[in-house]
Amino acid sequence: MNLLLVLLTIGAIAYFFLSHHNRQIQTVRDSDVVVVEGAIDRYPNLPLGNFAVPNRFRSPDRVQVVFPMLTDAGDVEYLYSWHSLRAVTPMTLSRDHRQNKVRVMAELAPLIKEHLRLELDRVALENQLTKIQKLAELVAVSDLYASQLGTYERAIDETEKLICKVEELSRIYVRMVKEALIGTRIAEFNPDLLLDLHVPLDEQYTRVKSEYQFMKDSAQAYYDLLKESQGATDLTS
């Protein structure tokens, strides 16, 4: 009886620990901004200090975060860094905060997360394009499937246009991050010079983002058409 009680107690403790650990991970995953303990000591030239954007997780308790940086030439660079979950604290920042770095990070964090997701989209699209191009080459030399070549060519065209739109949107993200980080450097000497970050770019960003989503939906329709076409051909062959 005592052994059973001990086993039940150990199981309950393990369950509680695992549940708490999973909640911690989910909280960090859902956050736009985290504070990384010891980041400034490890990377002394971070424009926004120990503020970062959570990116990926690795078992059991490793978190990859992204620090936005500026090179000496003024180009944007993302620093990817792994840290213990214990060293990463989710934060909710305000754009109205008096401290410049807090304001800037509150503005930038959602955009950086979008930019990171966009880069994943770009890689996936490039892989998809390569796959469709190889299939189109096979269809072009086939007697049975040659009638489908037009569908593949349209899918290639849509995918190439979408990749171009991804690159255009990515350039906007980079420009917004760049201007914000430059503004932070300038504000270190005169805080009154820190401008409203997104006003000059909001209209273009919103337009291109909307165009990208529309083109993405259109490209998906061609991918679905390809699958349906392949399925129908398989049934009749």
Side-chain angles (χ1 to χ4, degrees):
M1 187 69 178
N2 289 337
L3 179 59
L4 178 60
L5 182 60
V6 169
L7 291 175
L8 289 174
T9 302
I10 293 174
I13 293 173
Y15 175 78
F16 174 80
F17 176 80
L18 182 61
S19 297
H20 177 69
H21 180 75
N22 289 339
R23 283 197 300 271
Q24 280 184 301
I25 291 177
Q26 192 60 47
T27 301
V28 171
R29 192 191 302 274
D30 293 340
S31 299
D32 284 336
V33 183
V34 294
V35 173
V36 183
E37 182 182 344
I40 298 177
D41 297 331
R42 187 170 171 183
Y43 308 112
N45 296 320
L46 294 173
L48 299 179
N50 56 358
F51 294 120
V53 174
N55 188 41
R56 292 196 296 140
F57 294 84
R58 186 169 62 197
S59 298
D61 66 344
R62 303 294 290 172
V63 183
Q64 186 189 64
V65 302
V66 178
F67 296 100
M69 299 186 67
L70 279 175
T71 66
D72 292 338
D75 297 321
V76 172
E77 184 177 79
Y78 288 151
L79 174 62
Y80 296 84
S81 182
W82 287 97
H83 299 267
S84 166
L85 183 61
R86 294 188 300 274
V88 177
T89 304
M91 295 290 291
T92 300
L93 304 183
S94 170
R95 296 181 180 184
D96 300 323
H97 200 282
R98 293 181 62 183
Q99 185 181 344
N100 289 326
K101 290 183 179 180
V102 174
R103 291 166 55 194
V104 171
M105 195 62 197
E107 292 258 8
L108 284 185
L111 292 175
I112 292 174
K113 290 193 79 169
E114 284 188 24
H115 191 196
L116 295 174
R117 285 193 291 266
L118 186 69
E119 287 302 299
L120 294 177
D121 281 358
R122 180 183 59 79
V123 172
L125 285 169
E126 289 175 348
N127 291 336
Q128 183 77 26
L129 178 61
T130 300
K131 180 181 178 180
I132 297 174
Q133 287 173 332
K134 289 181 178 179
L135 289 173
E137 291 173 359
L138 291 175
V139 167
V141 297
S142 168
D143 293 330
L144 294 176
Y145 300 98
S147 61
Q148 298 180 15
L149 182 59
T151 303
Y152 282 90
E153 289 176 339
R154 287 192 294 274
I156 290 172
D157 184 58
E158 290 295 320
T159 306
E160 288 176 338
K161 289 179 181 177
L162 188 54
I163 290 174
C164 289
K165 189 58 65 174
V166 166
E167 292 171 347
E168 181 183 357
L169 185 55
S170 182
R171 286 192 292 270
I172 294 174
Y173 282 127
V174 169
R175 196 159 82 243
M176 295 171 83
V177 174
K178 176 180 177 179
E179 295 299 334
L181 294 181
I182 291 174
T184 303
R185 290 282 178 83
I186 293 173
E188 290 176 355
F189 296 93
N190 186 346
D192 295 332
L193 293 178
L194 185 64
L195 304 176
D196 188 1
L197 304 179
H198 297 162
V199 170
L201 296 169
D202 262 342
E203 183 177 349
Q204 183 188 22
Y205 160 72
T206 302
R207 175 182 59 80
V208 175
K209 185 179 178 182
S210 176
E211 290 173 355
Y212 165 65
Q213 187 59 52
F214 175 78
M215 293 175 67
K216 188 176 180 181
D217 293 340
S218 299
Q220 186 60 50
Y222 278 104
Y223 301 153
D224 293 341
L225 183 61
L226 282 177
K227 291 179 182 178
E228 291 177 5
S229 177
Q230 289 172 343
T233 305
D234 290 342
L235 288 175
T236 55
S237 59

